[in-house]
Amino acid sequence: MAERLFQASRQRRVITMTAAAGAAGGAAVPLLLCALLAPGGAYVLDDSDGLGREFDGIGAVSGGGATSRLLVNYPEPYRSQILDYLFKPNFGASLHILKVEIGGDGQTTDGTEPSHMHYALDENYFRGYEWWLMKEAKKRNPNITLMGLPWSFPGWLGKGFNWPYVNLQQTAYYIMTWIVGAKQYHDLDIDYIGIWNERSFNINYIKVLRRMLNDQGLQHVKIIASDNLWEPIATSMLLDPELLKAVDVIGAHYPGTYTVKDARLTEKKLWSSEDYSTLNDDVGAGCWARILNQNYINGYMTSTIAWNLVASYYEQLPYGRCGLMTAQEPWSGHYVVESPIWISAHTTQFTQPGWHYLKAVGHLEKGGSYVALTDGLGNLTIIIETMSHSHSMCIRPVLPYFNVSHQFATFILKGSFSKIPELQVWSTKLGKSSERFLFKQLDSLWLLDSNGSFTLELQEDELFTLTTLTSGSKGSYPLPPKSQPFPSIYKDDFNVDYPFFSEAPNFADQTGVFEYFMNTEDPGEHRFTLRQVLNQRPITWAADASNTISIIGDYNWSNMRIQCDVYIETPKKGGVFIAGRVNKGGIWIRGATGVFFWIFANGTYRVTGDLAGWIIYALGKAEVTAQKWYTLALTISGDFSSGTLNGKPLWTDIRVNLPKNGWAAIGTRSFEFAQFDNFCVEARPDIHGAP
């Protein structure tokens, strides 16, 4: 290996390392300096005394919830380009791990994801988009690690209780079927399975799940627990030998780069199984750079997984733009390759799961940190970050103050690394736009004449990767289309004979699940519809509403006309609505306000200013019954609204107060079957009067 590196170095004839200082055409700043002229911290990288922990990879979460919802609706080639930036090796983020939500029908942050078993005797392994996403990731990187974790569960598992541990065998069977279905229907091998995201774990359930997986020939599927805090899972494992054996990885969320003594005493792998969750600007990038190094340095965590993979949900939902990149406009094709993508590349493109950290990792003398990893075959990757406090604050936990200042750092390669002739150099500089650059390859570093030592000049908010690997690259595509608002006129008749995805484009379910549906007994106009398919409240993770609702459109819409054909399936107690100016979603959906136009199977209508129905603008009788199609139309203009039923005014010019803008929506009175067809929304400033 050393001889090959030497030959490559001779050919390149590189003897210095420089970096662009500022905008294109700026003067070059020498980074390789004589150690004698630049005194500072010295750091020895040596494998003579063995290696540190095994590296398990860097990844991201799709779900928790519905964070990839809009991605599937992107037209080609833009959808494939986004996927390449996320998963393609040596191109962009080049992720090692993809963690997905096991859809459970409940609201799990930015929407609901459908379960593969809405009901006890129901199994469907083509709902949602996580199957598709895992296949696309595998297509680009066959070695990517796949993980599944439930946030919510379908209601039937709780038998009337909001609790998944009522019948341990049944819940374990439900999870096992998801794993088996992934393989049987999509040829996907799930590598890790979780328990219940950020909620209580049950010791007996973990044991039952392990035994069931083993009995089904799924011994290779490892269990990670408990996707919450280090405790009490760590102590529980130390006190229970069977639990200790059943759990392969302890996963903690937002650990602040630190672990606890009992977690280390288990001698299990320690992961930050959800982290980051920060706006994807340069501060978010600094957060990501800092924790990717320091999760191992401070906490011995050998994997860090970002929430979330791609911000592909309406930005005004909770935690907007908290993905590694942004893709929230399928209607325009616009997306943004944000800086956290290139922060990821500094580690992911130059390491692989199975490599080992060196024992010599740590903090720099004047702030920042360094890690080094090797494949044990002669390759070495060193990652150095100097992220300042103000430019690396994650959303959680609170970051104690620290200082980073200008410094020189000397690295001395010993052991098997002492004869490395050359290191490739990649650099990122965050901060002022005049100085900023992302994942730029610099001149390689020549070591043969320096006895394996080199000195770097380090400024604040920089990231360096020095590596023997020559395979790294900064992938790129032509700029995507320009950003455009959601179309002001949007229609969907749901006439899709064989839908590739179960959900209609751009609808974002916030409570309940709305799926394409075919009425086999209706050969006419309403043969293909959108149906709300839950008849029972799920075992919730967040505060799901009491009503089901799916939003669509532009949050900035104010004046609009919404029209939709609706079909109440439940006699007497059923009801449906259309709505505009809906101002909240995600985990805040219960508090959504707007203008809601309801009709009920008992022959009444209602106009409310909120989803919960506490603010009543109007109510009365209407010629409505169940199991019959009706056309509702709602117009909102300024401070007034009007509505029609089958083209006839039902209420006119009712004054509506706040909010002044929001999404359009459809939904039902409760968890009940109902259908929607021929949806149309028109949003423009000059809409006025009755529909």
Side-chain angles (χ1 to χ4, degrees):
M1 173 63 70
E3 183 178 351
R4 291 198 301 272
L5 290 170
F6 175 77
Q7 293 297 333
S9 298
R10 297 277 295 192
Q11 292 170 8
R12 293 172 69 89
R13 303 287 186 186
V14 177
I15 60 172
T16 60
M17 181 173 72
T18 59
V29 176
L31 294 176
L32 177 58
L33 303 173
C34 174
L36 294 176
L37 297 177
Y43 312 94
V44 177
L45 303 179
D46 190 356
D47 61 350
S48 301
D49 191 31
L51 300 172
R53 294 193 176 210
E54 183 180 5
F55 174 66
D56 295 307
I58 305 302
V61 184
S62 172
T67 53
S68 304
R69 174 66 193 91
L70 299 175
L71 176 60
V72 296
N73 305 138
Y74 265 79
E76 294 293 353
Y78 311 115
R79 188 173 71 178
S80 290
Q81 292 173 4
I82 295 165
L83 293 165
D84 285 349
Y85 280 116
L86 295 170
F87 300 117
K88 187 176 179 180
N90 300 314
F91 188 85
S94 306
L95 295 171
H96 304 135
I97 300 170
L98 173 60
K99 178 178 179 179
V100 303
E101 177 178 352
I102 300 175
D105 296 334
Q107 168 61 248
T108 55
T109 300
D110 291 301
T112 69
E113 296 204 24
S115 170
H116 64 288
M117 296 179 70
H118 291 320
Y119 332 109
L121 300 179
D122 164 61
E123 290 187 50
N124 185 324
Y125 298 93
F126 295 91
R127 293 189 182 118
Y129 37 85
E130 303 296 4
W131 313 106
W132 166 84
L133 184 61
M134 286 189 284
K135 287 190 289 187
E136 292 294 324
K138 276 284 187 181
K139 185 189 302 181
R140 288 161 174 80
N141 179 6
N143 297 319
I144 197 168
T145 298
L146 297 179
M147 303 175 61
L149 174 67
W151 269 250
S152 65
F153 295 83
W156 60 273
L157 285 171
K159 300 184 184 302
F161 296 92
N162 196 47
W163 191 245
Y165 306 129
V166 174
N167 185 321
L168 304 184
Q169 291 281 345
Q170 199 167 53
T171 300
Y173 174 80
Y174 167 79
I175 295 298
M176 183 271 294
T177 60
W178 185 86
I179 298 170
V180 172
K183 181 63 175 178
Q184 181 177 348
Y185 294 96
H186 303 285
D187 196 27
L188 293 168
D189 292 302
I190 303 302
D191 299 293
Y192 291 87
I193 201 74
I195 306 304
W196 189 12
N197 182 74
E198 296 176 353
R199 298 294 181 264
S200 300
F201 64 90
N202 180 288
I203 292 174
N204 290 328
Y205 167 71
I206 295 174
K207 297 175 182 178
V208 167
L209 178 61
R210 181 69 271 166
R211 289 195 293 268
M212 185 174 291
L213 294 176
N214 292 346
D215 291 344
Q216 295 297 319
L218 299 170
Q219 295 90 342
H220 67 278
V221 179
K222 297 177 181 179
I223 290 178
I224 180 170
S226 66
D227 281 293
N228 198 348
L229 304 176
W230 295 118
E231 296 289 11
I233 186 64
T235 300
S236 299
M237 291 169 64
L238 292 174
L239 295 174
D240 188 329
E242 185 181 354
L243 179 65
L244 182 67
K245 184 178 179 180
V247 175
D248 298 278
V249 176
I250 301 180
H253 288 193
Y254 307 97
T257 76
Y258 288 93
T259 184
V260 298
K261 181 180 178 181
D262 281 353
R264 297 193 298 273
L265 288 175
T266 65
E267 297 183 353
K268 295 290 184 175
K269 289 179 177 291
L270 308 178
W271 289 10
S272 177
S273 52
E274 184 179 312
D275 218 324
Y276 177 65
S277 187
T278 302
L279 183 69
N280 56 23
D281 58 8
D282 275 10
V283 173
C287 153
W288 188 228
R290 178 175 55 79
I291 64 178
L292 284 182
N293 267 19
Q294 297 192 28
N295 274 349
Y296 182 75
I297 296 167
N298 299 336
Y300 306 99
M301 286 165 268
T302 54
S303 176
T304 298
I305 299 174
W307 188 92
N308 57 69
L309 174 71
V310 53
S312 207
Y313 47 98
Y314 291 114
E315 187 170 342
Q316 293 80 11
L317 288 169
Y319 306 103
R321 281 188 52 206
C322 282
L324 297 181
M325 65 179 293
T326 303
Q328 58 192 20
E329 290 186 22
W331 48 87
S332 71
H334 179 73
Y335 64 85
V336 182
V337 184
E338 309 280 8
S339 47
I341 288 287
W342 304 117
I343 298 299
S344 305
H346 272 277
T347 298
T348 57
Q349 289 200 22
F350 309 107
T351 59
Q352 287 297 324
W355 284 40
H356 282 76
Y357 286 97
L358 271 59
K359 290 182 178 179
V361 300
H363 294 275
L364 299 172
E365 186 177 278
K366 294 187 177 181
S369 66
Y370 68 98
V371 296
L373 301 95
T374 180
D375 63 354
L377 301 173
N379 283 308
L380 174 68
T381 292
I382 308 162
I383 304 147
I384 304 161
E385 60 82 20
T386 58
M387 298 301 148
S388 62
H389 181 271
S390 61
H391 288 95
S392 69
M393 288 187 288
C394 304
I395 196 169
R396 65 179 77 88
V398 174
L399 181 63
Y401 181 76
F402 60 87
N403 185 59
V404 176
S405 59
H406 172 239
Q407 61 189 300
F408 297 97
T410 298
F411 291 86
I412 304 167
L413 306 186
K414 290 190 174 183
S416 69
F417 309 125
S418 62
K419 296 186 183 303
I420 290 176
E422 181 183 15
L423 291 174
Q424 308 300 310
V425 184
W426 293 80
S427 178
T428 287
K429 172 67 175 176
L430 302 175
K432 296 179 181 179
S433 58
S434 61
E435 302 174 352
R436 180 181 182 271
F437 55 89
L438 299 171
F439 197 57
K440 180 173 183 176
Q441 186 169 19
L442 309 181
D443 290 339
S444 56
L445 178 59
W446 179 261
L447 299 177
L448 283 181
D449 301 325
S450 63
N451 296 318
S453 69
F454 58 92
T455 297
L456 303 182
E457 180 181 12
L458 302 173
Q459 307 285 350
E460 289 185 3
D461 301 321
E462 292 183 335
L463 181 61
F464 286 95
T465 298
L466 300 96
T467 179
T468 56
L469 298 182
T470 59
S471 53
S473 69
K474 186 173 184 179
S476 65
Y477 286 109
L479 288 176
K482 292 182 179 180
S483 175
Q484 297 287 340
F486 195 95
S488 59
I489 300 177
Y490 185 82
K491 299 179 180 180
D492 197 335
D493 59 13
F494 311 117
N495 288 344
V496 183
D497 201 346
Y498 298 101
F500 194 76
F501 297 103
S502 59
E503 298 158 291
N506 304 319
F507 280 89
D509 304 345
Q510 300 302 304
T511 297
V513 174
F514 295 73
E515 296 179 351
Y516 282 119
F517 182 68
M518 183 171 69
N519 287 306
T520 56
E521 299 178 0
D522 186 346
E525 180 184 2
H526 301 295
R527 181 171 177 80
F528 298 101
T529 66
L530 192 67
R531 189 187 195 210
Q532 201 294 118
V533 297
L534 301 189
N535 61 357
Q536 185 178 5
R537 186 178 181 83
I539 296 171
T540 60
W541 182 81
D544 296 50
S546 299
N547 332 85
T548 73
I549 178 173
S550 187
I551 62 171
I552 190 170
D554 190 326
Y555 187 81
N556 296 312
W557 281 348
S558 180
N559 292 352
M560 66 184 83
R561 177 178 294 126
I562 305 142
Q563 181 171 304
C564 190
D565 298 342
V566 298
Y567 185 88
I568 303 170
E569 296 190 35
T570 305
K572 297 182 180 180
K573 295 184 179 180
V576 297
F577 70 82
I578 61 174
R581 292 186 183 174
V582 178
N583 74 334
K584 290 181 182 177
I587 52 177
W588 313 119
I589 188 61
R590 290 183 70 89
T593 60
V595 182
F596 296 80
F597 176 16
W598 310 73
I599 60 170
F600 304 101
N602 64 2
T604 62
Y605 78 92
R606 185 169 296 184
V607 186
T608 68
D610 62 335
L611 177 62
W614 294 104
I615 305 169
I616 300 175
Y617 290 137
L619 51 81
K621 293 191 175 297
E623 295 182 6
V624 174
T625 186
Q627 299 174 2
K628 184 177 179 181
W629 282 97
Y630 300 93
T631 300
L632 300 184
L634 167 66
T635 298
I636 309 170
S637 180
D639 294 332
F640 296 92
S641 67
S642 304
T644 68
L645 174 65
N646 290 340
K648 297 180 180 179
L650 195 60
W651 46 280
T652 58
D653 292 333
I654 289 179
R655 180 175 287 276
V656 294
N657 301 316
L658 298 174
K660 297 297 184 182
N661 57 276
W663 297 289
I666 57 176
T668 65
R669 179 182 195 175
S670 62
F671 288 93
E672 62 184 274
F673 299 133
Q675 295 178 55
F676 303 83
D677 202 3
N678 298 317
F679 176 86
C680 177
V681 59
E682 184 176 2
R684 62 175 196 268
D686 60 343
I687 285 180
H688 58 83

